[in-house]
Amino acid sequence: MDNETETRVFLSNEQEEPQLPRSMVISLYLGYFLARWGARTWEFSVALYMIYLWPNSLFLTAMYGAVESGSTAIFGPIIGQMIDGMSYVKVLRLWLVTQNLSFIVAGGAVIALLLVPDLKSQNFQLFATLVVLTNLSGAIGVLSTLAGTILIERDWVVVMSEGHSPAVLTRMNSVIRGIDLSSKLLSPVITGLIISFVSLEASAVTFAAWATITVWIEYWLFISVYNGVPAILQSDERRSLRLSSQTDIAPQYYVPLLTDENTQSRSGNMRNLERISDSSFVGAWRNYLNQDIVLPGVALALLFFTVLSFGTLMTATLEWKGIPTYIIGIGRGISAGVGLTATVVYPLLLSRLSPLRTGLWSFWSQWTCLLVCVGSIWVEKEKIASYMLMAGVAASRLGLWMFDLAVIQQMQDLVPESDRCVVGGVQNSLQAALDLMANLLGIIVSNPKDFWILTLISFATVSLAGVLYTVHLYRIRKHLFHLEKIPLLNNFFIRNHST
């Protein structure tokens, strides 16, 4: 098409705004929406399935979370390097086929478990096998989802915005995050309605059917973007050239002459150390730790060591406390809706503040809202305490997602193109490691009555994250606030300067 219609990434009437092909932008956003909907649906549903299979305990719910987080923590850096060493088309196939096939298997295993309610007492071995299959297939699905997240959020969005003003990247980040939060908002509501007014089995069947149908649509949409955006094709070519040059200059190892057993032992140990230091896992972490954004990345990761979110542990606890499933779904939807406003507020803040300082204000606004969750511990009426917990978490999502956007944009701005996928893989691995610790804590403190202990530990970890980010900002800027810009203090600074 010679005269292909072009549109701005985000609606605007300003003529100077950079433009991107409309059909390609829509295809990217629609494909990402379909992929995130499936992932967010599973994320919400699995907690309800597990608490149903083992009532009055968070053990199965926390165990699934531990398996999922542990696999991401271990394999996250390796996935980042795998993506960096593959063509975009291969990454797309690996991501979409593996994710949807894994979710189909997980959905089938859940259906089998739900169809026989007393399977645990009748045939515990089969029950355990199906639970393990659910855990493993769900974890593989989440790992493949990680590959897609790195590809789209950390690579393609940056590549498509190159050559345009920084506002384009900010808007694309906001839209991508908005798509994810929209899925997080709507999918729990719809799933909760299906569970409440139809059945758990119906929700599992719907989930498996969704994964079966959408995989083909997603692949077609993303391949269209790949072939229709020259910048992505050029980036793939640069990647191929970089990989071929790395293959040509691969290090050559030699075996030294050995004179005695001690020399042999020392030489063997040295070779083992060299292999470890040259491994993809260690190399990825070394790369990450050498980046300028390591402290903001660690601060963001610490926010995953928490139960103060509508994740599996909090969802299962609310279910145990007698909160109706559709109310939990609506609460999670409201939470995502509040987070969705971050995609609108963030660009506005960024027009006045840097990403670094936007992150500071966003973080501490989130921290303030979480004080409501801490206060709910001392409320005697169970229902009121539960709604306070839900309200505090929902309100904190505005600051949380603005902080997330601020850190991601700092990574996009400061991490070199050659390191982008690797750093993204390690970041997700670190986040998963902290999420794993939260789930292990849920296994140890598995009685829903003791959820208050998990709440206090989570709040302390969030506070630590805030301190780390604040220290990072102070190291960079040598101050925290522009006190002279506060009207009441401005005259004070002017008077002191004049004297």
Side-chain angles (χ1 to χ4, degrees):
M1 296 173 59
D2 296 331
N3 298 318
E4 183 176 4
T5 304
E6 294 191 335
T7 188
R8 295 175 178 83
V9 177
F10 206 77
L11 295 178
S12 174
N13 292 322
E14 300 177 4
Q15 295 298 320
E16 66 272 11
E17 279 296 319
Q19 298 175 333
L20 287 172
R22 174 175 185 154
S23 59
M24 297 301 100
V25 173
I26 292 175
S27 295
L28 178 75
Y29 292 161
L30 183 56
Y32 193 71
F33 169 76
L34 293 175
R36 292 309 297 163
W37 183 279
R40 288 301 191 183
T41 299
W42 174 251
E43 178 186 287
F44 173 73
S45 303
V46 66
L48 302 176
Y49 298 147
M50 294 302 174
I51 197 69
Y52 175 83
L53 293 172
W54 201 309
N56 301 320
S57 175
L58 298 176
F59 179 78
L60 275 187
T61 305
M63 182 60 71
Y64 171 80
V67 172
E68 178 189 298
S69 304
S71 59
T72 306
I74 294 171
F75 298 110
I78 299 173
I79 286 177
Q81 289 205 335
M82 280 179 58
I83 295 172
D84 205 37
M86 299 168 65
S87 69
Y88 286 149
V89 175
K90 288 183 178 179
V91 175
L92 280 176
R93 291 171 181 166
L94 177 68
W95 162 32
L96 296 175
V97 173
T98 306
Q99 172 186 303
N100 288 280
L101 183 61
S102 300
F103 284 159
I104 291 169
V105 173
V110 168
I111 293 169
L113 286 165
L114 296 176
L115 288 176
V116 186
D118 54 349
L119 181 62
K120 184 171 67 172
S121 58
Q122 288 183 359
N123 191 337
F124 185 79
Q125 185 175 359
L126 179 59
F127 174 84
T129 301
L130 289 172
V131 169
V132 170
L133 181 61
T134 303
N135 286 1
L136 292 179
S137 55
I140 293 172
V142 171
L143 276 175
S144 51
T145 300
L146 170 61
T149 301
I150 294 173
L151 179 68
I152 302 300
E153 293 188 11
R154 307 296 171 90
D155 200 325
W156 278 20
V157 167
V158 181
V159 170
M160 290 177 71
S161 65
E162 286 174 351
H164 302 276
S165 73
V168 174
L169 178 60
T170 299
R171 287 169 180 161
M172 289 192 77
N173 283 334
S174 295
V175 173
I176 287 290
R177 183 60 64 225
I179 289 169
D180 183 37
L181 290 173
S182 297
S183 302
K184 192 173 184 178
L185 184 157
L186 296 172
S187 63
V189 175
I190 293 175
T191 302
L193 291 172
I194 293 173
I195 293 173
S196 298
F197 298 105
V198 186
S199 65
L200 273 172
E201 293 87 344
S203 72
V205 171
T206 304
F207 172 73
W210 174 272
T212 304
I213 296 169
T214 57
V215 59
W216 312 104
I217 304 174
E218 293 165 24
Y219 183 74
W220 174 73
L221 289 169
F222 286 125
I223 282 294
S224 299
V225 176
Y226 173 80
N227 292 321
V229 179
I232 293 179
L233 288 170
Q234 294 165 8
S235 177
D236 205 16
E237 290 173 1
R238 291 195 301 269
R239 173 187 292 236
S240 299
L241 290 173
R242 186 175 71 249
L243 291 173
S244 61
S245 64
Q246 288 174 354
T247 302
D248 293 339
I249 60 173
Q252 302 295 322
Y253 296 99
Y254 68 94
V255 179
L257 294 175
L258 305 177
T259 57
D260 54 37
E261 291 184 1
N262 290 333
T263 306
Q264 271 188 342
S265 177
R266 287 195 299 270
S267 178
N269 291 335
M270 288 299 294
R271 286 200 300 274
N272 289 334
L273 289 174
E274 286 177 0
R275 290 192 190 100
I276 293 172
S277 64
D278 291 335
S279 69
S280 58
F281 184 87
V282 175
W285 275 97
R286 187 189 299 118
N287 189 330
Y288 178 83
L289 294 173
N290 288 332
Q291 302 293 330
D292 294 333
I293 45 75
V294 62
L295 272 184
V298 172
L300 180 61
L302 281 171
L303 299 184
F304 285 75
F305 184 62
T306 182
V307 297
L308 298 178
S309 70
F310 280 90
T312 54
L313 290 174
M314 180 171 152
T315 299
T317 300
L318 291 171
E319 178 82 6
W320 174 83
K321 289 183 176 182
I323 305 298
T325 304
Y326 73 94
I327 293 294
I328 299 174
I330 292 173
R332 185 185 172 106
I334 293 173
S335 174
V338 173
L340 192 59
T341 61
T343 64
V344 178
V345 177
Y346 177 73
L348 297 177
L349 277 179
L350 209 61
S351 66
R352 298 178 176 273
L353 301 172
S354 66
L356 187 65
R357 196 167 295 281
T358 300
L360 181 72
W361 288 104
S362 301
F363 184 92
W364 289 109
S365 67
Q366 175 212 186
W367 183 88
T368 302
C369 293
L370 291 179
L371 290 172
V372 177
C373 303
V374 176
S376 70
I377 295 173
W378 289 277
V379 175
E380 294 184 0
K381 293 186 177 180
E382 197 73 52
K383 287 290 177 66
I384 295 177
S386 297
Y387 287 121
M388 281 183 65
L389 176 65
M390 295 169 68
V393 169
S396 71
R397 300 304 92 171
L398 176 62
L400 170 67
W401 289 111
M402 286 199 297
F403 179 71
D404 175 83
L405 283 167
V407 173
I408 286 178
Q409 185 148 353
Q410 290 174 57
M411 289 183 171
Q412 291 170 334
D413 292 338
L414 299 176
V415 176
E417 180 183 5
S418 59
D419 297 335
R420 207 174 283 148
C421 290
V422 175
V423 171
V426 175
Q427 179 65 34
N428 282 278
S429 173
L430 183 58
Q431 292 169 183
L434 273 298
D435 190 34
L436 169 64
M437 292 174 62
N439 283 290
L440 291 176
L441 201 60
I443 294 174
I444 296 171
V445 187
S446 60
N447 192 330
K449 292 181 180 179
D450 297 327
F451 190 78
W452 64 272
I453 299 175
L454 303 179
T455 299
L456 290 178
I457 295 174
S458 299
F459 185 74
T461 307
V462 171
S463 302
L464 175 60
V467 171
L468 288 179
Y469 189 83
T470 305
V471 168
H472 171 74
L473 185 144
Y474 186 80
R475 280 171 45 186
I476 300 295
R477 296 293 180 86
K478 307 304 180 186
H479 64 275
L480 295 179
F481 307 107
H482 290 287
L483 297 178
E484 69 277 5
K485 293 187 177 181
I486 301 176
L488 292 177
L489 298 177
N490 190 37
N491 293 333
F492 172 79
F493 282 104
I494 292 174
R495 285 198 302 270
N496 280 355
H497 182 72
S498 60
T499 56

